[in-house]
Amino acid sequence: MSDSSSCQGCPSAAGCGSAGNPEGCPSSSSPAASSGCGGGCGGPTPEQQAEEARLHATLSHIRNTIVVMSGKGGVGKSSTAANIAAGLALAGKRVGLLDVDVHGPSIPRLLKLDAAQAETDGDVIHPVQWREGVSLSVMSLGFFLPDGRQAVIWRGPVKMGFIKQLLSDVAWGELDFLVVDCPPGTGDEPLSVLQLLGDAARALIVTTPQAVAVDDVRRSLGFCEDLNVPVLGVIENMSGIVCSKCGNVESLFGQGGGERLAKEMNVPFLGAVPLDPEIVRAGDEGNIYIASHPDRPAATVLRTIVDALVEADAPGA
């Protein structure tokens, strides 16, 4: 393999990463297709026009798009995205959860879907359902990888092509919310998502309290400002730790860094979520924390954030 891993069941083509296409997935994932150049800079081809039409058609059925971002890794961003998506679905909303972390897709494990595989029907990709009776549809590159050892080695244009497919070719249906979990930083994946979503995108920024995290997350806010992407707010994760013995919240990484950053950057502060050992255990076991531990302090804060998003979605809000 020259530049891309061979993804079993890759929606682009069976020969993802083949020698005949050293940039990775063929068809719409080609660099020319991803950039909108028709290969000879003569404008978009009919195939590219059809892709754009599918993308716009899909987005027209999604009312709210929340892109969960952080400039720092290890802040609990994916866990936050999964809990917010599940919380919205448990509140009766129709929700999609899209994992665009190409190199480290963790959403399948967090939802106990790591053994699931995506099904395709021609050009249509069917999302995986979280649980019966709850409207949460999930899509991740993890559903296409043959095993947990499979590394994905893609350049930027291939990533954008694949992300575009997950937005336009997945049968999301009518959604009240699409929650997008991005990898940390301001690189290919968040840039691709925000460019593809256009005016529909709203960012939700996750940080931890300590200054080394806040410094990086400040760049994420600057990134959103440069791209004219509205920011729903900042969540301070791991804001203290819940004692496993008494349940009290004690300072571990400090507190208040996220709130101060939100005030500095003039964006809403959505809440401080304490670190709870049960969040870690729930994530490892695939039991969504907000559902399995609804009375814990961190779940209470997460539910407050979910309630605010639901209220903002109400007619006339």
Side-chain angles (χ1 to χ4, degrees):
M1 287 176 286
S2 57
D3 195 38
S4 171
S5 299
S6 178
C7 304
Q8 193 175 61
C10 175
S12 295
C16 172
S18 64
N21 184 12
E23 288 296 334
C25 293
S27 67
S28 62
S29 295
S30 68
S34 299
S35 66
C37 172
C41 295
T45 66
E47 181 185 22
Q48 292 160 11
Q49 291 176 332
E51 290 172 0
E52 290 297 323
R54 289 199 305 274
L55 176 62
H56 289 301
T58 298
L59 296 180
S60 70
H61 295 283
I62 300 172
R63 260 210 329 271
N64 301 282
T65 306
I66 301 173
V67 182
V68 182
M69 302 172 53
S70 179
K72 188 72 174 176
V75 300
K77 174 187 49 54
S78 293
S79 177
T80 300
N83 276 280
I84 285 176
L88 289 167
L90 291 168
K93 296 296 182 179
R94 298 165 298 180
V95 183
L97 175 57
L98 174 58
D99 178 6
V100 298
D101 193 336
V102 169
H103 302 292
S106 55
I107 289 297
R109 171 177 284 278
L110 292 172
L111 294 171
K112 200 181 285 187
L113 297 174
D114 43 315
Q117 292 186 338
E119 296 182 1
T120 59
D121 181 12
D123 292 334
V124 177
I125 308 167
H126 296 282
V128 175
Q129 299 304 308
W130 175 44
R131 63 168 63 167
E132 190 174 351
V134 181
S135 183
L136 177 55
S137 303
V138 186
M139 183 48 58
S140 169
L141 177 62
F143 296 143
F144 298 97
L145 297 177
D147 59 63
R149 298 171 299 174
Q150 182 70 59
V152 178
I153 309 169
W154 286 351
R155 288 196 176 110
V158 183
K159 294 180 187 179
M160 185 170 185
F162 184 72
I163 291 170
K164 188 173 186 178
Q165 284 186 293
L166 295 188
L167 283 171
S168 61
D169 294 351
V170 171
W172 293 112
E174 297 283 342
L175 294 181
D176 299 309
F177 290 91
L178 176 65
V179 179
V180 184
D181 178 35
C182 288
T186 55
D188 292 320
E189 293 91 336
L191 179 60
S192 296
V193 167
L194 294 177
Q195 287 179 333
L196 290 167
L197 292 175
D199 293 340
R202 300 290 184 272
L204 190 155
I205 309 297
V206 181
T207 187
T208 47
Q210 65 269 43
V212 67
V214 169
D215 287 346
D216 288 338
V217 174
R218 184 180 288 107
R219 297 184 183 95
S220 288
L221 288 164
F223 175 72
C224 292
E225 184 177 349
D226 290 343
L227 295 177
N228 296 316
V229 175
V231 175
L232 292 171
V234 172
I235 295 175
E236 180 178 298
N237 201 21
M238 306 183 195
S239 182
I241 183 170
V242 179
C243 177
S244 60
K245 301 296 184 182
C246 65
N248 289 330
V249 178
E250 302 174 1
S251 178
L252 180 64
F253 299 116
Q255 290 178 307
E259 186 170 10
R260 290 190 293 272
L261 175 63
K263 185 178 295 185
E264 172 196 332
M265 301 297 287
N266 196 30
V267 298
F269 180 68
L270 299 181
V273 182
L275 177 62
D276 185 346
E278 292 300 325
I279 294 180
V280 180
R281 187 174 294 110
D284 286 346
E285 296 174 353
N287 298 319
I288 284 296
Y289 175 81
I290 199 172
S292 60
H293 297 79
D295 298 325
R296 303 282 290 185
T300 301
V301 178
L302 287 167
R303 197 161 48 250
T304 300
I305 296 169
V306 168
D307 290 345
L309 295 173
V310 170
E311 184 178 348
D313 183 51

PDB file of all heavy atoms in Angstrom, residues 35-57:
ATOM      1  N   SER A  35     -11.174  18.986  -4.495  1.00  0.00           N
ATOM      2  CA  SER A  35     -10.917  20.418  -4.585  1.00  0.00           C
ATOM      3  C   SER A  35     -11.939  21.150  -5.427  1.00  0.00           C
ATOM      4  O   SER A  35     -11.999  22.363  -5.425  1.00  0.00           O
ATOM      5  CB  SER A  35      -9.522  20.640  -5.199  1.00  0.00           C
ATOM      6  OG  SER A  35      -9.504  20.196  -6.539  1.00  0.00           O
ATOM      7  N   GLY A  36     -12.785  20.396  -6.169  1.00  0.00           N
ATOM      8  CA  GLY A  36     -13.756  21.036  -7.016  1.00  0.00           C
ATOM      9  C   GLY A  36     -13.215  21.337  -8.395  1.00  0.00           C
ATOM     10  O   GLY A  36     -13.937  21.804  -9.265  1.00  0.00           O
ATOM     11  N   CYS A  37     -11.935  21.094  -8.632  1.00  0.00           N
ATOM     12  CA  CYS A  37     -11.356  21.291  -9.945  1.00  0.00           C
ATOM     13  C   CYS A  37     -11.647  20.095 -10.805  1.00  0.00           C
ATOM     14  O   CYS A  37     -11.537  18.969 -10.372  1.00  0.00           O
ATOM     15  CB  CYS A  37      -9.852  21.506  -9.825  1.00  0.00           C
ATOM     16  SG  CYS A  37      -8.985  21.530 -11.392  1.00  0.00           S
ATOM     17  N   GLY A  38     -12.036  20.264 -12.017  1.00  0.00           N
ATOM     18  CA  GLY A  38     -12.420  19.166 -12.887  1.00  0.00           C
ATOM     19  C   GLY A  38     -11.238  18.420 -13.452  1.00  0.00           C
ATOM     20  O   GLY A  38     -11.377  17.751 -14.471  1.00  0.00           O
ATOM     21  N   GLY A  39     -10.109  18.480 -12.838  1.00  0.00           N
ATOM     22  CA  GLY A  39      -8.939  17.760 -13.313  1.00  0.00           C
ATOM     23  C   GLY A  39      -8.141  18.626 -14.261  1.00  0.00           C
ATOM     24  O   GLY A  39      -6.930  18.588 -14.302  1.00  0.00           O
ATOM     25  N   GLY A  40      -8.814  19.443 -15.064  1.00  0.00           N
ATOM     26  CA  GLY A  40      -8.117  20.334 -15.974  1.00  0.00           C
ATOM     27  C   GLY A  40      -8.462  21.771 -15.693  1.00  0.00           C
ATOM     28  O   GLY A  40      -8.308  22.644 -16.537  1.00  0.00           O
ATOM     29  N   CYS A  41      -9.012  22.033 -14.480  1.00  0.00           N
ATOM     30  CA  CYS A  41      -9.388  23.381 -14.060  1.00  0.00           C
ATOM     31  C   CYS A  41     -10.391  24.005 -15.011  1.00  0.00           C
ATOM     32  O   CYS A  41     -10.388  25.213 -15.241  1.00  0.00           O
ATOM     33  CB  CYS A  41      -8.157  24.279 -13.916  1.00  0.00           C
ATOM     34  SG  CYS A  41      -7.056  23.727 -12.592  1.00  0.00           S
ATOM     35  N   GLY A  42     -11.255  23.151 -15.590  1.00  0.00           N
ATOM     36  CA  GLY A  42     -12.288  23.659 -16.485  1.00  0.00           C
ATOM     37  C   GLY A  42     -13.644  23.683 -15.828  1.00  0.00           C
ATOM     38  O   GLY A  42     -14.666  23.670 -16.509  1.00  0.00           O
ATOM     39  N   GLY A  43     -13.683  23.696 -14.491  1.00  0.00           N
ATOM     40  CA  GLY A  43     -14.949  23.694 -13.790  1.00  0.00           C
ATOM     41  C   GLY A  43     -15.317  22.293 -13.351  1.00  0.00           C
ATOM     42  O   GLY A  43     -14.692  21.310 -13.748  1.00  0.00           O
ATOM     43  N   PRO A  44     -16.332  22.163 -12.517  1.00  0.00           N
ATOM     44  CA  PRO A  44     -16.727  20.850 -11.996  1.00  0.00           C
ATOM     45  C   PRO A  44     -17.281  19.943 -13.086  1.00  0.00           C
ATOM     46  O   PRO A  44     -17.965  20.391 -14.005  1.00  0.00           O
ATOM     47  CB  PRO A  44     -17.800  21.203 -10.960  1.00  0.00           C
ATOM     48  CG  PRO A  44     -18.327  22.535 -11.382  1.00  0.00           C
ATOM     49  CD  PRO A  44     -17.162  23.255 -11.977  1.00  0.00           C
ATOM     50  N   THR A  45     -16.979  18.672 -12.969  1.00  0.00           N
ATOM     51  CA  THR A  45     -17.495  17.686 -13.900  1.00  0.00           C
ATOM     52  C   THR A  45     -18.936  17.351 -13.537  1.00  0.00           C
ATOM     53  O   THR A  45     -19.402  17.662 -12.432  1.00  0.00           O
ATOM     54  CB  THR A  45     -16.659  16.403 -13.836  1.00  0.00           C
ATOM     55  OG1 THR A  45     -16.841  15.811 -12.537  1.00  0.00           O
ATOM     56  CG2 THR A  45     -15.183  16.695 -14.069  1.00  0.00           C
ATOM     57  N   PRO A  46     -19.676  16.697 -14.415  1.00  0.00           N
ATOM     58  CA  PRO A  46     -21.045  16.278 -14.075  1.00  0.00           C
ATOM     59  C   PRO A  46     -21.093  15.412 -12.826  1.00  0.00           C
ATOM     60  O   PRO A  46     -22.028  15.528 -12.021  1.00  0.00           O
ATOM     61  CB  PRO A  46     -21.492  15.500 -15.318  1.00  0.00           C
ATOM     62  CG  PRO A  46     -20.709  16.117 -16.438  1.00  0.00           C
ATOM     63  CD  PRO A  46     -19.377  16.452 -15.855  1.00  0.00           C
ATOM     64  N   GLU A  47     -20.070  14.555 -12.641  1.00  0.00           N
ATOM     65  CA  GLU A  47     -20.034  13.711 -11.447  1.00  0.00           C
ATOM     66  C   GLU A  47     -19.898  14.561 -10.186  1.00  0.00           C
ATOM     67  O   GLU A  47     -20.564  14.325  -9.179  1.00  0.00           O
ATOM     68  CB  GLU A  47     -18.876  12.724 -11.533  1.00  0.00           C
ATOM     69  CG  GLU A  47     -18.802  11.785 -10.326  1.00  0.00           C
ATOM     70  CD  GLU A  47     -17.577  10.881 -10.363  1.00  0.00           C
ATOM     71  OE1 GLU A  47     -16.609  11.252 -11.055  1.00  0.00           O
ATOM     72  OE2 GLU A  47     -17.610   9.823  -9.715  1.00  0.00           O
ATOM     73  N   GLN A  48     -19.026  15.583 -10.257  1.00  0.00           N
ATOM     74  CA  GLN A  48     -18.845  16.459  -9.105  1.00  0.00           C
ATOM     75  C   GLN A  48     -20.096  17.281  -8.835  1.00  0.00           C
ATOM     76  O   GLN A  48     -20.460  17.523  -7.678  1.00  0.00           O
ATOM     77  CB  GLN A  48     -17.636  17.361  -9.334  1.00  0.00           C
ATOM     78  CG  GLN A  48     -16.316  16.600  -9.326  1.00  0.00           C
ATOM     79  CD  GLN A  48     -15.203  17.363 -10.009  1.00  0.00           C
ATOM     80  OE1 GLN A  48     -15.337  18.545 -10.318  1.00  0.00           O
ATOM     81  NE2 GLN A  48     -14.089  16.699 -10.266  1.00  0.00           N
ATOM     82  N   GLN A  49     -20.770  17.704  -9.881  1.00  0.00           N
ATOM     83  CA  GLN A  49     -22.019  18.442  -9.707  1.00  0.00           C
ATOM     84  C   GLN A  49     -23.067  17.569  -9.027  1.00  0.00           C
ATOM     85  O   GLN A  49     -23.827  18.041  -8.165  1.00  0.00           O
ATOM     86  CB  GLN A  49     -22.523  18.947 -11.058  1.00  0.00           C
ATOM     87  CG  GLN A  49     -21.664  20.054 -11.666  1.00  0.00           C
ATOM     88  CD  GLN A  49     -22.143  20.468 -13.045  1.00  0.00           C
ATOM     89  OE1 GLN A  49     -22.729  19.669 -13.780  1.00  0.00           O
ATOM     90  NE2 GLN A  49     -21.888  21.718 -13.411  1.00  0.00           N
ATOM     91  N   ALA A  50     -23.098  16.291  -9.410  1.00  0.00           N
ATOM     92  CA  ALA A  50     -24.048  15.357  -8.790  1.00  0.00           C
ATOM     93  C   ALA A  50     -23.718  15.163  -7.308  1.00  0.00           C
ATOM     94  O   ALA A  50     -24.613  15.084  -6.460  1.00  0.00           O
ATOM     95  CB  ALA A  50     -24.029  14.019  -9.523  1.00  0.00           C
ATOM     96  N   GLU A  51     -22.409  15.099  -6.979  1.00  0.00           N
ATOM     97  CA  GLU A  51     -21.997  14.963  -5.584  1.00  0.00           C
ATOM     98  C   GLU A  51     -22.429  16.170  -4.769  1.00  0.00           C
ATOM     99  O   GLU A  51     -22.922  16.030  -3.638  1.00  0.00           O
ATOM    100  CB  GLU A  51     -20.478  14.808  -5.510  1.00  0.00           C
ATOM    101  CG  GLU A  51     -19.951  13.482  -6.042  1.00  0.00           C
ATOM    102  CD  GLU A  51     -18.440  13.478  -6.128  1.00  0.00           C
ATOM    103  OE1 GLU A  51     -17.827  14.510  -5.781  1.00  0.00           O
ATOM    104  OE2 GLU A  51     -17.877  12.450  -6.534  1.00  0.00           O
ATOM    105  N   GLU A  52     -22.242  17.360  -5.333  1.00  0.00           N
ATOM    106  CA  GLU A  52     -22.650  18.573  -4.629  1.00  0.00           C
ATOM    107  C   GLU A  52     -24.152  18.596  -4.410  1.00  0.00           C
ATOM    108  O   GLU A  52     -24.647  19.005  -3.354  1.00  0.00           O
ATOM    109  CB  GLU A  52     -22.215  19.812  -5.424  1.00  0.00           C
ATOM    110  CG  GLU A  52     -20.715  20.052  -5.450  1.00  0.00           C
ATOM    111  CD  GLU A  52     -20.158  20.320  -4.056  1.00  0.00           C
ATOM    112  OE1 GLU A  52     -20.853  20.977  -3.251  1.00  0.00           O
ATOM    113  OE2 GLU A  52     -19.051  19.854  -3.777  1.00  0.00           O
ATOM    114  N   ALA A  53     -24.896  18.137  -5.416  1.00  0.00           N
ATOM    115  CA  ALA A  53     -26.355  18.110  -5.287  1.00  0.00           C
ATOM    116  C   ALA A  53     -26.781  17.155  -4.168  1.00  0.00           C
ATOM    117  O   ALA A  53     -27.701  17.459  -3.394  1.00  0.00           O
ATOM    118  CB  ALA A  53     -26.993  17.692  -6.616  1.00  0.00           C
ATOM    119  N   ARG A  54     -26.104  15.986  -4.072  1.00  0.00           N
ATOM    120  CA  ARG A  54     -26.434  15.036  -3.013  1.00  0.00           C
ATOM    121  C   ARG A  54     -26.115  15.627  -1.646  1.00  0.00           C
ATOM    122  O   ARG A  54     -26.871  15.447  -0.686  1.00  0.00           O
ATOM    123  CB  ARG A  54     -25.664  13.725  -3.203  1.00  0.00           C
ATOM    124  CG  ARG A  54     -26.133  12.886  -4.373  1.00  0.00           C
ATOM    125  CD  ARG A  54     -25.687  11.438  -4.241  1.00  0.00           C
ATOM    126  NE  ARG A  54     -24.250  11.277  -4.065  1.00  0.00           N
ATOM    127  CZ  ARG A  54     -23.380  11.206  -5.067  1.00  0.00           C
ATOM    128  NH1 ARG A  54     -23.805  11.297  -6.333  1.00  0.00           N
ATOM    129  NH2 ARG A  54     -22.096  11.026  -4.833  1.00  0.00           N
ATOM    130  N   LEU A  55     -24.970  16.330  -1.562  1.00  0.00           N
ATOM    131  CA  LEU A  55     -24.584  16.941  -0.289  1.00  0.00           C
ATOM    132  C   LEU A  55     -25.625  17.962   0.155  1.00  0.00           C
ATOM    133  O   LEU A  55     -26.071  17.955   1.306  1.00  0.00           O
ATOM    134  CB  LEU A  55     -23.209  17.597  -0.422  1.00  0.00           C
ATOM    135  CG  LEU A  55     -22.699  18.363   0.801  1.00  0.00           C
ATOM    136  CD1 LEU A  55     -22.537  17.426   1.993  1.00  0.00           C
ATOM    137  CD2 LEU A  55     -21.371  19.055   0.492  1.00  0.00           C
ATOM    138  N   HIS A  56     -26.022  18.839  -0.749  1.00  0.00           N
ATOM    139  CA  HIS A  56     -27.000  19.865  -0.401  1.00  0.00           C
ATOM    140  C   HIS A  56     -28.346  19.243  -0.050  1.00  0.00           C
ATOM    141  O   HIS A  56     -29.044  19.722   0.852  1.00  0.00           O
ATOM    142  CB  HIS A  56     -27.153  20.867  -1.543  1.00  0.00           C
ATOM    143  CG  HIS A  56     -25.961  21.768  -1.726  1.00  0.00           C
ATOM    144  ND1 HIS A  56     -25.497  22.603  -0.725  1.00  0.00           N
ATOM    145  CD2 HIS A  56     -25.129  21.958  -2.781  1.00  0.00           C
ATOM    146  CE1 HIS A  56     -24.434  23.275  -1.152  1.00  0.00           C
ATOM    147  NE2 HIS A  56     -24.190  22.889  -2.401  1.00  0.00           N
ATOM    148  N   ALA A  57     -28.708  18.166  -0.746  1.00  0.00           N
ATOM    149  CA  ALA A  57     -29.972  17.489  -0.449  1.00  0.00           C
ATOM    150  C   ALA A  57     -29.941  16.889   0.951  1.00  0.00           C
ATOM    151  O   ALA A  57     -30.923  16.979   1.703  1.00  0.00           O
ATOM    152  CB  ALA A  57     -30.249  16.402  -1.495  1.00  0.00           C
TER     153      ALA A  57
END
